[in-house]
Amino acid sequence: MYLSAAQGESMERLSDVHSQHFLFVTSPLQGHVNPVLRLASRITEANPSARVTFSNAVSGHRRMFPSLASPDAELAVDGVLHAPYSDGYDEGFDPKVHDVRSFNARARDAGGETLSGVIERLAARGKPVTRVVYTLLVGWALDVARAHGVPAALYWIQPATVFAVYYHHFHGHGEAIASCANDPGRGGSVRLPGLPPLRCDALPSIVSVISPEQPLYGALSALRDLFAGLDEHGPTVLINTFEALEQDALRAVPRLEVLAAGPVMPDDDPSSSSCTDLVKRDDDAEDHMEWLDTRAAGSVVYVSFGTMLPVSKRQEVELVRGLEATNRPYLWARGGAKAKQGGGVDQEEMDGGGIVGTRRGMVVDWCEQARVLSHPAVGCFVTHCGWNSALEGITRGVPIVAVPQWTDQPTNAWLVEERAGVGVRAAVDGEGVVERDELRRCVEEAMGDGERGVEIRARVQEWMERAREALAGGGTSEKNVRAFASGL
């Protein structure tokens, strides 16, 4: 591969472990920020001499550090410099105000200019960046890195299987993939190079987009640009997964260097700088931990559908009714609700949805998910199956009930249920709602004493150990991260 003079100089810098300076660039989304911070922490553990700068969009930076005098002011935290870029939406993107069709171009132009400024300022201080690491929604960062002669790497925060599906979608298999994704009811499957057959309902939702008028068309366009950059420049791809879980998918795109670097998971310590929260916390954040302390081991159903999509009122009704029908205690991180004292769901708030007589559950607006999943009282995790959440469940040894909604979540649910065997995927009705009887069935299947429940609990313990082995000294992911951190 041809290298310019500037790139050659950058590669020479990479040979000196003591001169490493990693610039991590991501979008202002909760599910993107935290895995990047965690990888940054892993990099500094592997190479304590390396410098790390974290660059988030201004809108995310100000939510991380709301007390700054200026929303774009730089800040050093535990050895990591936070230096934001502007994507042109410093107050945050609002679909009611902004045109989603112009988002990609505006973010690329504004982000490219301001991120370039970050790199120039760091160089002027005698701290030149030696490697840019970027995530899937800021693919334009690769062009910025190359303009400055700096090597780049993509940090893929979804499974390797999803990465491979997207790659094949843009390399000759798009029509077959879209056709299958748009007809999940037929029960068919699609065969892609290097991957096992994938059912139509196991494909990421973005590949079903075929028209600019569809809501996720902008995301599809951003992915197309990202993979075009990979084709042209071939940067290293680090994936938040581990070898044993996705061995075939990690080799499904042989023309790229694709390396397992995970699972990159949060510490249970809530004060850790490798995890931040972009959602306002409840003042009574410890109440749910004290509530868990009063529950028997493996008895509690923990429920969270993430921070991106709201849960419909009908789904809330079906959810609580189904949970109540299990006769098991449950903790629901509802997102936006206030913590309910006394362990019951607030009647005034919930009666409007037809929910009455609840006594077994506690509803909170926020919780430290890693701590909750590590609590011995938790015996099951009902989740939208975002990849961060799925990995957190696996690495904590908690059986999963998957309720996927969009993007990579259907594929994640396939990995959870069929690939790893650590959970159950809930069926939805025509409105995308998991009805109460189905939810109860899935929880009982995962937590009950039947053959399937016993098998799921045994499998999740096995996969928890495999994940730990990958991260331990000499493990596959540990070696990959250590080599990357050293510039090898």
Side-chain angles (χ1 to χ4, degrees):
M1 181 175 63
Y2 173 78
L3 295 177
S4 68
Q7 288 175 297
E9 293 173 0
S10 296
M11 294 301 292
E12 291 177 2
R13 291 200 302 271
L14 283 172
S15 66
D16 181 0
V17 68
H18 298 293
S19 68
Q20 299 300 298
H21 185 174
F22 295 88
L23 173 61
F24 290 85
V25 187
T26 190
S27 52
L29 298 175
Q30 181 76 69
H32 294 218
V33 169
N34 278 337
V36 174
L37 286 174
R38 294 163 194 160
L39 179 62
S41 178
R42 292 272 305 281
I43 292 291
T44 55
E45 288 175 7
N47 181 3
S49 299
R51 292 190 178 99
V52 169
T53 297
F54 180 83
S55 193
N56 189 6
V58 170
S59 60
H61 183 75
R62 62 172 40 165
R63 281 185 286 159
M64 292 173 65
F65 308 109
S67 61
L68 291 176
S70 172
D72 60 352
E74 295 182 1
L75 181 71
V77 179
D78 294 339
V80 174
L81 177 66
H82 292 260
Y85 67 90
S86 173
D87 60 0
Y89 301 92
D90 290 354
E91 301 294 330
F93 179 82
D94 184 351
K96 297 178 181 178
V97 176
H98 303 119
D99 185 356
V100 68
R101 293 170 297 182
S102 62
F103 175 83
N104 287 340
R106 182 175 175 182
R108 180 179 62 247
D109 293 345
E113 180 179 353
T114 54
L115 183 65
S116 182
V118 170
I119 294 175
E120 291 169 355
R121 290 196 299 274
L122 292 171
R125 297 170 192 167
K127 302 176 181 179
V129 173
T130 60
R131 181 73 71 108
V132 171
V133 182
Y134 64 100
T135 53
L136 68 163
L137 294 184
V138 289
W140 46 263
L142 174 59
D143 294 329
V144 177
R146 289 187 59 80
H148 287 271
V150 179
L154 170 65
Y155 177 34
W156 187 261
I157 59 175
Q158 297 176 351
T161 302
V162 174
F163 178 83
V165 169
Y166 287 147
Y167 178 87
H168 292 310
H169 184 272
F170 297 118
H171 292 82
H173 299 273
E175 185 175 343
I177 293 173
S179 176
C180 184
N182 280 300
D183 193 12
R186 69 186 176 101
S189 63
V190 63
R191 292 179 177 270
L192 301 172
L195 296 176
L198 290 170
R199 292 195 318 270
C200 301
D201 63 356
L203 294 170
S205 64
I206 291 177
V207 298
S208 68
V209 174
I210 57 176
S211 167
E213 304 306 316
Q214 292 177 265
L216 290 176
Y217 186 81
L220 181 68
S221 296
L223 285 170
R224 182 181 291 108
D225 292 343
L226 181 140
F227 278 90
L230 296 180
D231 287 342
E232 184 176 359
H233 305 302
T236 296
V237 181
L238 301 174
I239 298 190
N240 188 13
T241 191
F242 55 106
E243 183 83 17
L245 183 62
E246 295 193 274
Q247 187 174 17
D248 51 358
L250 286 163
R251 291 162 178 75
V253 185
R255 69 175 305 273
L256 294 174
E257 183 183 29
V258 179
L259 302 173
V264 181
M265 290 288 96
D267 299 326
D268 291 341
D269 180 4
S271 65
S272 172
S273 61
S274 65
C275 186
T276 192
D277 186 62
L278 303 185
V279 180
K280 186 178 180 181
R281 302 187 181 194
D282 193 278
D283 292 336
D284 301 311
E286 288 300 312
D287 286 0
H288 60 272
M289 298 304 297
E290 296 174 1
W291 182 84
L292 285 172
D293 290 339
T294 67
R295 298 307 188 260
S299 67
V300 175
V301 182
Y302 169 59
V303 185
S304 175
F305 288 163
T307 59
M308 281 290 290
L309 290 179
V311 176
S312 69
K313 178 58 67 176
R314 178 170 171 247
Q315 181 64 88
E316 288 188 338
V317 172
E318 295 298 317
L319 180 62
V320 173
R321 286 301 196 195
L323 291 170
E324 288 285 321
T326 68
N327 291 321
R328 299 178 185 273
Y330 58 88
L331 172 63
W332 178 14
R334 186 182 178 198
K338 294 182 178 180
K340 310 302 181 291
Q341 301 293 333
V345 178
D346 181 81
Q347 294 303 303
E348 182 178 354
E349 178 179 41
M350 300 299 281
D351 280 351
I355 300 172
V356 294
T358 53
R359 293 293 182 270
R360 301 183 182 281
M362 184 176 189
V363 180
V364 297
D365 68 338
W366 172 91
C367 69
E368 291 159 2
Q369 184 159 285
R371 290 180 68 201
V372 168
L373 290 171
S374 295
H375 198 285
V378 175
C380 178
F381 182 16
V382 179
T383 171
H384 64 310
C385 223
W387 191 231
N388 292 329
S389 291
L391 285 177
E392 287 173 19
I394 292 172
T395 57
R396 264 64 182 186
V398 180
I400 292 171
V401 172
V403 187
Q405 307 293 308
W406 68 334
T407 62
D408 60 321
Q409 295 164 16
T411 313
N412 303 344
W414 173 82
L415 283 163
V416 162
E417 182 180 44
E418 299 192 23
R419 197 64 164 173
V422 298
V424 182
R425 178 173 178 171
V428 298
D429 65 12
E431 297 178 5
V433 170
V434 177
E435 296 182 329
R436 62 194 74 178
D437 290 342
E438 171 67 2
L439 181 66
R440 180 193 57 76
R441 180 192 70 80
C442 291
V443 169
E444 287 304 314
E445 192 162 330
M447 297 182 73
D449 296 328
E451 182 178 347
R452 181 75 186 280
V454 172
E455 180 183 358
I456 286 173
R457 292 191 292 276
R459 293 294 298 273
V460 77
Q461 291 297 317
E462 292 174 6
W463 283 110
M464 179 177 67
E465 291 304 318
R466 292 189 185 187
R468 290 177 176 176
E469 290 171 1
L471 297 174
T476 52
S477 292
E478 189 272 341
K479 289 192 292 187
N480 287 339
V481 171
R482 179 156 40 85
F484 182 78
S486 300
L488 301 178

